[in-house]
Every structure is written in C-alpha cells, then in structure tokens.
Amino acid sequence: MCGIVGIVSKTPYPSRVLLDRLKRLEYRGYDSYGLYDGRTLLRRIGGIRVEGGGRTTAGIAHTRWATHGGVSERNAHPHLSCDGRVAVVHNGIIENYEELRRGLLRKGHRFTSETDSEVIAHHLEDGLRRRPVEAALPRLFRELKGTFAVLAMVRGRDEIFALKRDSPLVLGAAEGRTILASDIYAFSDWTDRAVFFENDEMAAVGPSGARFFDATGRPIRKPARTFRWEQDRGPRRTAGHYMLKEILEEPAAVGRLLFSLGGDQKPAFDRLVRLIRRTRKVIFASCGTSYHATLLGAYYLHRTGREVQTLIASEFRHFAKVDAETLVVAVSQSGETMDVIDALKYARANGGRIAAIVNVPHSTIQRMSELSLNILAGPEVCVASTKAFVNQAVLLLALARAFGFPVRLETIPDRLRALFRQRARLRAMAVRIARSRDVYIIGRGLTYPVARETALKIKETSYIHAEGMMGGELKHGTIALIEKGTPVLSLINAGDPDIISNTKEVEARGAEIFVLTNHPTLGGDRNAVHLKTANDGKFGILAAAAGQLIAYYAAAALGRPIDKPRNLAKSVTVK
Ligand code: M6R
C-alpha cells in the first residue's frame, strides 16, 4: 500500500519521469500523489497525471493509500520539514508518531498534515541540527517504531537516503540511473538488475552509485541480483481495461507455468512435494483471492488423501498450532502482504518450516521462505487479481497431481480459450446480474472456493453485494434473503447432484438462476454457460475464469473504475 519512487541520475532528467515511474505503481494506492525534485513540490489528489516541466538529478515521488489522515493535498506526500531542508516519502505506519510528534512540537516544529509520516521529516531535520546525516539516520532508525520504507532528500546533498523496516523497498540499477521503489514493476522495463533491501537496512544513493548500511550506520555489502519478470505480448489493454487484458492472458500464463514446472522449476517443485510428503502438518497461509486459491488447493489435495489446512493469514496466529513438524506454505501474488508476512514470522517463531508460492520474484515472502515456487503470471496491474488466481490454482492442481489427482493439465490453455469464445453469453448474464443490488453464488466441494472467489471479484469491481457460499448452507439462514428475481449463480459440477437440489430450492422461491456447468444437459439453457471439461479439477479453474468475466462485464455495464476500485490497493502492506 502506497508506492514510493526515487531516482538519482548522473545527468539531469525530466522530473515528470518520476511520475511516469510512479504511475506503474499506482495499483499500490491512488488517493493522492506527489513529487519533490529538489526545487518543486507537487501534491495532487486522485489519479496520477504525468506532467511538469522541470529537470533534476535526484527526486522522490509517492502514490498514497490513506491510513492516517483523510485524502487531501496537505496529507499527500512528499512531506517537508519546517525549514524545507528535508523531504520524505513513506510507505508503512509509524506506530509511535504521536509521541514523537509531541516531542517535536515542544522543540518548536510545526506540522501541516494529519499523517504519521510527516514526523519523519521533522525528526530528521531535528537530528541534522546537531549531527551529520550519517548519524541522524541511525538515530531515526532507533526511534521510529512501526513499519516503513522511507526515501529522504536533504538539502545540499545530491543523494537519496533510503531506510527499510518491514515495508518493501528495492533498488534498480539501470544504465546511468539508480531507481528506488516499492516494487520491481517501477523499473522492470529499464533493468533486470536489482538489490532487495532487508529489514533495518539503509542506503545512500548518489550519482555514482549506492552505498549500503545496517541500521547503526555500519557499511554492508549488497550485491545486485538478476530477476525475471514475464511480460505478455498482445494488446497493451483490452477495451481500455487491464482486467480484461489480464483475463485473456490466462492461457499464455498457464502455458508458461506448466512449461517451467517441467523445466527450470522442476527441482523446487519436486522438493516441495517431498517436503509435503514428509511433514506431519501442512497449512496454507494467504489472504483474499490467494486464500480462495488455497481453498481450491486444499480440496484438490484432500481428494488424494493428503490432508492440508488453509487459513486466512490475518487470523493465522489465532487458529494455527505450529511446531517443528509443521510446514506453512504462503501463497501470495505480490509476495508482500503484511498479514501473510506476519503469519510466517509466527510460524518461524514456533519452529515451523516455510515455503512460498508467489508471483512477484524476489518479494519479501519469497525471501523469507526456505523453498519457493513462482506462478509466472507476469505483471498483474488490475487491482482485482485474475490471472494470478488461475496460475495459483494450476500450480496447486499440479501439486495435487503429484499426489495422485488424475488430471491432464496440458489442455487447460485450450479449455480457457474455448471458454473465452463464450464471452458474449457471459456478458449477457453479467448485464442481467448488474441490475440487482445483491447476488448469491453457490457451490459445493470444489466449486465452493470458486463461488467465494467469484463473489469477491463481483464485489470489488462492480460494488454489487455478492455472497459466495456453500450450497448446503443456504437453508441454514441465507435463503431468507431470496425473493422473486434475486439472482443466484450456481456452479454445478456434473458429478454433484446436491448442488442441483440447492439450485432448485432457491428457484422454487423465485430466484433467477444462472448456471456455470460442465453437466452434459444443463448447459443448454439461456441462463447457462457450458464449460467443456469432464475433469472436475479443471472445472474449478474454468468456472473461476468464467466468474472473472462475469464480474468484469457487470462492472463494465455499471461504468465502474474497473482497474482501480475505490478504497482498494493491490499490495496490502499494512495490517
Ligand atoms: O498479493 P496477495 O496475493 O498476497 O494479495 C492478497 C489479497 O490482498 C488480494 O488477493 C486481494 O484480495 C485482491 N484484490 C483480490 O482481487
């Protein structure tokens, strides 16, 4: 949440390049944005407009997801200290900001925003009154409590100072330029060489390169690593939306993942299989869409006789008992979700082992894990996760196959393409669903996680109230909400007669029924889409992709800001 960027160059560059790079991180938050280039302070509300005429050799920029203080220009970053000597951008939460603020107010500092972040600029200015920046930064490290990735500029120095604790920060080494950012997508088209900051590390980045230090100011060595970040070719955006573009990329992304699971990722994949086989208890930890993928994964593995548990990461420590015989598998698109990181810390503290399944290479969660696999979905820009979900589910299905789940994974890309040819029918369904304020999505067994995921996609992109639930649970309460015309989307796996009964029960009470099925006869109806697969493992994945398209078309029918839904951010780096 919040994206930060800093660029230092040997030769002057247009300041608007900072905004251009920041725009690539806009999915991290889009309440307000700003930049400081040593001369100009720009702060604006809303989506980033790449503008401005100045030039600089060093500048910092920020895109905000508001936590402390409302959405306003004065709460937008960068924040300047009283005398303008220090400018900072910050991602994270300073937990002791009120205490620090009180101390600084007593010393005569005046604050202009309601944010926790502004305290950093004043604290640094205060430190600089008595000591050089090299000593003021360790003091800042010592006194700040909470999570932070901070970039600071100090008047008279042609460097950017970077500090990191728990919030993501990475340095990209490009030709003639060094870029500091919240994630590699800010510069992945400039360079594939990056240095990943660990906790309590800092750097001074100048025109001739970067120097790294620990939190006490002692120099450390941090070599650059090469990263691989798959780009899909094809139209940059489809119908103006990344969401549709990314859904349509799914066949290519699945193909790439399957190829790598049989190739360069095979040793890691085999190690994960061995680890799961040897470990007494396996628990997945994840949030949101990734959690729904793990529910599906847990179902697949249960079918092979392998019992695994899955927990939403924010509740992990309240429900998981971890010991030395526990393997925790973190599943995360961004690899930066704070609740997942927290669950892993808890697992580690209790002696558990940690593996990870991530999309963003070298992300924090990957670096915390002794073993990791990459889903290779490539950059996902739309805040609503689509192709990452599909690749997570495919990877988990591949894992289940290694334990005996019968499935031919190789046909998934073609099955997805066949589904996409039915877009018009899915769109017609979506347009009708979009007329309602509520929709219920029901599933059973493997379609239960898909029902939950479809509901989440509909909620976040169209703002329609959507509940994804177990068909069997309906008559324990929710059926009271069914009225004449209430849309119910039923996910009917051919082998499951019970979900057909649940569908009949709501139909009898006036619900308008929509169906996604692989049942040979049910799919003919005007309100039904037939998904061509006899394999229920694959049916789960195809139904989820169909649900994504329904969510997309419902949001489009309602004219919603599909790629950047209100109040959301793609990478949730606060708890
Ligand atoms: O990066 P992660 O997979 O850890 O993110 C988890 C959730 O924040 C994420 O899936 C979220 O629910 C998406 N907006 C869903 O589309």
Side-chain angles (χ1 to χ4, degrees), residues 169-170 184 194-198 201 222 225 227 361-362 367:
L169 186 62
V170 56
I184 55 171
V195 180
F196 297 89
F197 285 77
E198 299 302 340
E201 290 182 347
K222 284 192 73 69
R225 294 197 222 164
F227 65 87
H362 303 288
R367 299 202 308 281

Side-chain angles (χ1 to χ4, degrees), residues 427-505:
R427 174 191 251 146
M429 270 188 182
V431 167
R432 292 186 38 207
I433 289 171
R435 288 189 209 132
S436 296
R437 287 186 51 213
D438 309 284
V439 57
Y440 299 89
I441 300 108
I442 57 171
R444 266 181 179 263
L446 94 153
T447 58
Y448 161 62
V450 181
R452 298 266 313 255
E453 174 55 11
T454 303
L456 178 61
K457 284 288 92 76
I458 292 176
K459 272 188 280 203
E460 63 183 338
T461 60
S462 70
Y463 312 155
I464 296 169
H465 166 245
E467 254 188 76
M469 57 185 307
M470 300 159 177
E473 268 297 286
L474 263 174
K475 48 189 168 295
H476 298 288
T478 308
I479 203 162
L481 300 173
I482 303 296
E483 296 171 346
K484 188 165 167 33
T486 304
V488 173
L489 173 62
S490 180
L491 311 179
I492 303 181
N493 182 21
D496 184 355
D498 294 339
I499 189 73
I500 298 178
S501 303
N502 299 143
T503 310
K504 294 278 176 217
E505 287 153 14

Side-chain angles (χ1 to χ4, degrees), residues 94-107 109 111 116-120 122-124 126 139-146 148:
I94 305 302
E95 287 163 6
N96 59 338
Y97 80 101
E98 278 174 340
E99 176 195 328
L100 293 174
R101 194 172 196 261
R102 277 196 297 275
L104 289 158
L105 281 170
R106 279 197 295 274
K107 289 180 175 177
H109 287 259
F111 287 75
D116 55 330
S117 311
E118 189 184 351
V119 81
I120 304 169
H122 294 278
H123 190 286
L124 195 51
D126 184 64
R139 175 176 172 261
L140 187 63
F141 244 127
R142 270 196 313 279
E143 294 188 7
L144 288 184
K145 292 204 175 79
F148 49 88

Side-chain angles (χ1 to χ4, degrees), residues 68 182 263 267 381 421:
H68 295 57
S182 300
V381 175
R421 287 195 284 276

Side-chain angles (χ1 to χ4, degrees), residues 204-516:
V205 181
S208 48
R211 295 172 294 136
F212 296 93
F213 308 91
D214 68 12
T216 66
R218 216 181 2 237
I220 51 173
R221 272 178 49 75
K222 284 192 73 69
R225 294 197 222 164
T226 303
F227 65 87
R228 198 179 70 175
W229 195 214
E230 315 295 336
Q231 299 281 349
D232 286 293
R233 277 185 230 105
R236 205 176 74 78
R237 294 207 279 165
T238 308
H241 297 124
Y242 279 103
M243 183 172 178
L244 186 55
K245 172 185 183 284
E246 288 163 3
I247 293 171
L248 298 180
E249 281 169 4
E250 285 167 0
V254 171
R256 182 164 61 229
L257 172 63
L258 294 178
F259 185 75
S260 113
L261 290 181
D264 60 342
Q265 292 207 92
K266 190 167 186 325
F269 183 81
D270 292 345
R271 269 183 66 206
L272 182 59
V273 172
R274 283 198 298 275
L275 201 53
I276 292 177
R277 202 162 264 142
R278 279 202 310 265
T279 312
R280 193 174 53 81
K281 181 153 66 165
V282 178
I283 317 178
F284 290 120
S286 47
C287 300
T289 286
S290 299
Y291 169 70
H292 297 149
T294 64
L295 264 181
L296 200 50
Y299 172 90
Y300 292 149
L301 283 159
H302 274 243
R303 283 269 302 270
T304 70
R306 176 76 234 192
E307 199 168 320
V308 302
Q309 212 185 331
T310 180
L311 286 171
I312 289 187
S314 55
E315 293 295 332
F316 191 87
R317 60 176 65 225
H318 304 129
F319 291 95
K321 189 173 172 319
V322 176
D323 57 24
E325 289 182 83
T326 308
L327 169 68
V328 178
V329 184
V331 178
S332 170
Q333 186 285 131
S334 62
E336 300 293 350
T337 301
M338 187 59 87
D339 287 324
V340 181
I341 292 172
D342 201 51
L344 295 185
K345 284 183 182 166
Y346 171 79
R348 197 151 62 189
N350 286 283
R353 302 187 71 174
I354 300 173
I357 295 174
V358 297
N359 190 34
V360 178
H362 303 288
S363 46
T364 303
I365 289 169
Q366 185 168 44
R367 299 202 308 281
M368 284 177 83
S369 309
E370 60 181 278
L371 167 63
S372 71
L373 286 162
N374 199 300
I375 60 166
L376 300 180
E380 196 183 60
V381 175
C382 176
V383 167
S385 186
T386 53
K387 61 177 178 168
F389 173 88
V390 165
N391 271 24
Q392 288 166 339
V394 169
L395 199 151
L396 293 169
L397 184 55
L399 206 55
R401 186 178 64 169
F403 284 88
F405 192 101
V407 60
R408 272 187 64 220
L409 299 168
E410 303 68 37
T411 56
I412 295 175
D414 275 344
R415 296 281 187 265
L416 283 165
R417 284 187 199 99
L419 165 69
F420 296 160
R421 287 195 284 276
Q422 301 197 66
R423 273 157 67 189
R425 284 173 77 91
L426 292 164
R427 174 191 251 146
M429 270 188 182
V431 167
R432 292 186 38 207
I433 289 171
R435 288 189 209 132
S436 296
R437 287 186 51 213
D438 309 284
V439 57
Y440 299 89
I441 300 108
I442 57 171
R444 266 181 179 263
L446 94 153
T447 58
Y448 161 62
V450 181
R452 298 266 313 255
E453 174 55 11
T454 303
L456 178 61
K457 284 288 92 76
I458 292 176
K459 272 188 280 203
E460 63 183 338
T461 60
S462 70
Y463 312 155
I464 296 169
H465 166 245
E467 254 188 76
M469 57 185 307
M470 300 159 177
E473 268 297 286
L474 263 174
K475 48 189 168 295
H476 298 288
T478 308
I479 203 162
L481 300 173
I482 303 296
E483 296 171 346
K484 188 165 167 33
T486 304
V488 173
L489 173 62
S490 180
L491 311 179
I492 303 181
N493 182 21
D496 184 355
D498 294 339
I499 189 73
I500 298 178
S501 303
N502 299 143
T503 310
K504 294 278 176 217
E505 287 153 14
V506 280
E507 192 175 22
R509 283 153 182 87
E512 185 177 12
I513 305 297
F514 299 90
V515 171
L516 297 177

